[in-house]
Amino acid sequence: MIKKEAIDSIIEDYKPKDIKIATLCSHCALQVFHGARSEGIKTIGICTPERKKIYDAFALAKPDEYILIDDPKNLLSSGIDDELIGKNAILVPHGSLVEYGGEEIENFKAPILGNRKSLVWERDRIKMFEWMREARIQTPRLLRPEEIDRPCIVKFSGAKGGRGYIAVNSPEEFERKVNKKEGVIIQEYLAGVRFYPHFFYTPLSREGYRAGEGSVELIGIDRRYESNVDEIYRPLSTGMDIKPSFTVVGNEPVVVRESLLNEIFEIGKNVIEAAERLFGGIPGPFCVETVCDENLQFYAFEISSRIVAGTNLYPEGSHYTVYNYPEWMSMGRRIAREIRIAIAKEKLHKIVY
Ligand code: AMP
């Protein structure tokens, strides 16, 4: 992995007035560009030629300039890091960028918002559980095939957005239903209500809810809409015999019972402080996928250590940001605001790697 000092020396040479925000035109890029524009920061869209017209269709959310690429899969190996450095750009990672970039993100030469080490921890499910346990968050039990004695969900390595997950109840069912058994993870199925809180950790301010050397903000909460499990009552009500699937197809907004906010903030704070102990911290946006059961106990089964697509619900701010900011505040805008504050305080090195 490229050394932190190398990134620090690149960012030190950036001209503060010329700093730009770049991201891949996908996932939540409209929100990132729209937010940067409101904070007066210029943007660069890394885009395939056929997608450009989509971004050009949004006058207030299109990037100020494009870097055209043939194939997002070559995104990080195509030498655009030098071009981004030449343009004083900070790259904002999102789900598509992390997926296409794979391990190459570790040696990408341009500064990345947040801590790129966290992306390594996010990619590896075993490491992620280590992180959640270090944060003292309850997690679903992980079982070996022969131990399956309750409803479980089988996850495949590299599978994104819940695609292909299989629900099983016994070792025999696992044997029968799961063809490719290598690299699978078997998790206890968590019954309850899902909440996916979107956090922003700033090491630059101690206002609000203290965490690590700074504070954590709750920017919004969503729940994913998954096909077919989220409307499974419909085929079930007709008597169809249908197997649940968990493919993410959309997001819906959620507010939690106000007395649960304490648990949610503690989860955010503990994830931040565990990240500090394990790999040096997690400045910027992140999300913890949780389930709250009928005893009001929270369990977490995944951390996304970057902006998540659920934040796209709130381009004008959420039912939580409204209590912190008199102006509308999206996650995209919060990112740009943090960069602006870090420039002013000469602390960019605290929020990029
Ligand atoms: P993931 O790929 O881990 O984000 O999971 C995709 C979806 O599968 C989640 O949004 C949940 O609806 C479901 N899911 C994943 N893990 C569990 C679990 N341990 N218990 C219940 N549902 C889960």
Side-chain angles (χ1 to χ4, degrees):
M1 184 174 294
I2 191 167
K3 291 259 181 317
K4 172 82 167 93
E5 299 76 53
I7 299 294
D8 286 351
S9 89
I10 288 169
I11 202 97
E12 218 164 272
D13 290 341
Y14 274 14
K15 294 183 208 73
K17 286 210 174 75
D18 269 354
I19 287 179
K20 302 185 183 69
I21 287 177
T23 199
L24 177 68
C25 288
S26 179
H27 192 268
C28 56
L30 287 170
Q31 189 204 144
V32 169
F33 299 143
H34 182 237
R37 179 182 294 259
S38 332
E39 292 294 306
I41 299 184
K42 295 270 189 258
T43 53
I44 303 169
I46 305 163
C47 195
T48 53
E50 56 287 1
R51 275 215 179 174
K52 184 173 173 296
K53 58 179 181 294
I54 301 192
Y55 286 81
D56 281 338
F58 295 98
L60 300 180
K62 64 181 181 187
D64 293 291
E65 60 177 296
Y66 287 95
I67 296 179
L68 293 179
I69 52 163
D70 294 336
D71 184 352
K73 295 208 173 70
N74 308 329
L75 167 71
L76 300 181
S77 54
S78 58
I80 61 163
D81 33 8
D82 287 323
E83 197 171 347
L84 289 175
I85 293 169
K87 291 177 185 290
N88 286 276
I90 295 172
L91 185 67
V92 172
H94 53 52
S96 309
L97 193 138
V98 169
E99 191 176 341
Y100 290 128
E103 288 171 22
E104 278 165 25
I105 214 159
E106 291 175 32
N107 288 313
F108 197 66
K109 280 184 275 167
I112 295 177
L113 180 86
N115 176 359
R116 68 181 75 194
K117 279 192 195 160
S118 69
L119 302 172
V120 176
W121 283 72
E122 153 178 345
R123 197 167 45 232
D124 180 331
R125 287 215 169 97
I126 304 291
K127 274 187 142 65
M128 193 195 289
F129 266 70
E130 200 185 316
W131 182 3
M132 292 190 289
R133 288 193 187 120
E134 175 70 24
R136 298 185 307 280
I137 299 174
Q138 303 185 90
T139 54
R141 270 194 63 191
L142 299 179
L143 296 103
R144 286 195 289 273
E146 62 278 15
E147 293 174 327
I148 301 173
D149 59 354
R150 63 194 74 195
C152 286
I153 185 161
V154 180
K155 303 184 173 186
F156 299 88
S157 64
K160 284 277 173 249
R163 199 175 284 265
Y165 290 1
I166 299 176
V168 296
N169 277 292
S170 64
E172 298 72 44
E173 205 177 354
F174 176 83
E175 218 26 67
R176 194 158 28 87
K177 285 192 179 165
V178 180
N179 297 326
K180 206 176 145 282
K181 300 187 171 59
E182 251 162 65
V184 300
I185 285 210
I186 307 166
Q187 282 179 11
E188 167 185 21
Y189 187 88
L190 298 168
V193 171
R194 293 163 303 132
F195 294 126
Y196 300 160
H198 319 143
F199 297 106
F200 190 94
Y201 171 53
T202 173
L204 306 180
S205 160
R206 286 167 187 241
E207 306 248 319
Y209 202 93
R210 292 285 301 275
E213 58 176 307
S215 59
V216 61
E217 290 171 35
L218 181 63
I219 303 286
I221 306 178
D222 81 298
R223 186 159 58 186
R224 297 198 188 147
Y225 227 40
E226 290 160 12
S227 186
N228 55 25
V229 71
D230 283 326
E231 288 207 8
I232 205 157
Y233 55 91
R234 291 169 61 104
L236 285 180
S237 71
T238 66
M240 276 170 72
D241 177 22
I242 184 147
K243 293 182 186 56
S245 57
F246 302 87
T247 308
V248 178
V249 292
N251 304 80
E252 54 182 355
V254 196
V255 275
V256 297
R257 194 172 151 172
E258 202 153 301
S259 57
L260 293 176
L261 284 175
N262 177 46
E263 265 81 1
I264 298 226
F265 272 106
E266 279 299 292
I267 287 174
K269 169 186 157 72
N270 289 334
V271 164
I272 290 161
E273 293 176 356
E276 268 169 18
R277 291 193 293 277
L278 292 172
F279 52 85
I282 182 183
F286 69 99
C287 173
V288 185
E289 294 180 32
T290 69
V291 167
C292 180
D293 74 9
E294 70 270 32
N295 302 314
L296 307 182
Q297 294 292 306
F298 277 85
Y299 293 81
F301 56 89
E302 191 146 321
I303 302 173
S304 299
S305 56
R306 30 106 196 143
I307 183 170
V308 290
T311 61
N312 286 339
L313 287 165
Y314 308 116
E316 294 179 302
S318 76
H319 33 263
Y320 293 108
T321 54
V322 74
Y323 303 132
N324 261 338
Y325 296 95
E327 67 280 31
W328 64 263
M329 184 59 62
S330 65
M331 186 64 93
R333 185 169 184 178
R334 183 64 189 84
I335 289 171
R337 172 84 46 105
E338 187 77 347
I339 290 174
R340 219 157 51 73
I341 294 170
I343 294 170
K345 293 188 168 175
E346 297 185 7
K347 294 232 161 106
L348 271 175
H349 61 279
K350 297 279 261 185
I351 62 160
V352 301
Y353 176 13

